[in-house]
Amino acid sequence: MKKVLTGAAVLMAVIAMAGCSSGNKNAQSSSGSANTAMSESQAGAAQSADANQMSSQAANQESKVDGTVKTYTNSSMPELELIVTYKDDTVLTISQKQILTGYDSLGATNKEDAQKAAQQMNEAGKNHAAEGVSTNFEVTDTGVISSTTFDISKITVDPSGTLSDLGFNPDSNSFKALDANLLSAGYTAK
């Protein structure tokens, strides 16, 4: 059990580090030519297309769960999306999806190498995930979409601390409390 938790913690750390490195790169501003502005505009359009694809896939995945789906975003973390499935006041699943521009989050420089790395990470996630936690890396034309889903009915631990960071209390498992915590933390519902 300890090896499973350690593997899940390592996988979650990779996701967190990927997000941090992506955030640092996205936070850097560029100055100069119109070519740079055009490249950034094209990257923004591609990232928007990836976000639409991600939302559509999440809606398809979450619609398989018998419940209501609510999606949250935060302007301070535009690459992140939280998808909560709930029924009445009970949270069923919480999914964290992150769009990472480029392939360096998987240690790759091109799409082909990133796909190989994503396949390896997805296999590792299947073999070492904590109970109720699933991870997935998907490679797009512009980068990587990483997702972590917590099935609240099956989860036994929160190895990455993600749920507590969101203000979710698994003991009470209240959607209303989670919603209030997310809104007070700067998230907005789509």
Side-chain angles (χ1 to χ4, degrees):
M1 181 68 169
K2 196 169 193 173
K3 282 187 177 181
V4 171
L5 295 178
T6 303
V10 168
L11 191 55
M12 295 300 171
V14 168
I15 292 169
M17 288 187 312
C20 291
S21 68
S22 175
N24 288 339
K25 288 182 181 177
N26 290 337
Q28 296 173 351
S29 64
S30 61
S31 61
S33 70
N35 289 338
T36 301
M38 180 62 126
S39 295
E40 289 175 357
S41 174
Q42 290 169 341
Q47 187 173 12
S48 177
D50 284 347
N52 290 337
Q53 176 187 6
M54 178 182 72
S55 294
S56 172
Q57 289 170 346
N60 289 338
Q61 178 185 0
E62 298 299 335
S63 66
K64 296 175 187 173
V65 177
D66 184 26
T68 303
V69 177
K70 193 165 186 179
T71 302
Y72 299 86
T73 58
N74 190 321
S75 61
S76 67
M77 298 174 284
E79 72 282 351
L80 182 70
E81 188 172 82
L82 295 174
I83 302 149
V84 179
T85 305
Y86 63 97
K87 188 170 187 174
D88 299 322
D89 189 37
T90 302
V91 176
L92 303 173
T93 63
I94 299 174
S95 297
Q96 179 179 344
K97 308 243 182 219
Q98 191 169 21
I99 300 173
L100 307 170
T101 304
Y103 306 118
D104 58 338
S105 62
L106 291 176
T109 56
N110 59 53
K111 185 176 180 179
E112 183 179 291
D113 289 344
Q115 287 173 325
K116 290 175 188 174
Q119 183 177 7
Q120 290 173 348
M121 293 295 289
N122 289 337
E123 286 300 315
K126 288 177 188 174
N127 295 327
H128 300 288
E131 180 75 22
V133 180
S134 62
T135 59
N136 186 57
F137 291 89
E138 179 186 342
V139 177
T140 67
D141 289 336
T142 59
V144 178
I145 299 173
S146 72
S147 60
T148 304
T149 300
F150 300 89
D151 183 337
I152 304 306
S153 67
K154 296 179 182 175
I155 195 164
T156 56
V157 294
D158 181 12
S160 64
T162 301
L163 297 177
S164 59
D165 288 348
L166 296 175
F168 178 71
N169 181 349
D171 294 331
S172 67
N173 191 6
S174 168
F175 170 72
K176 290 176 186 174
L178 174 62
D179 182 62
N181 286 336
L182 290 174
L183 295 175
S184 70
Y187 287 87
T188 56
K190 280 180 135 181

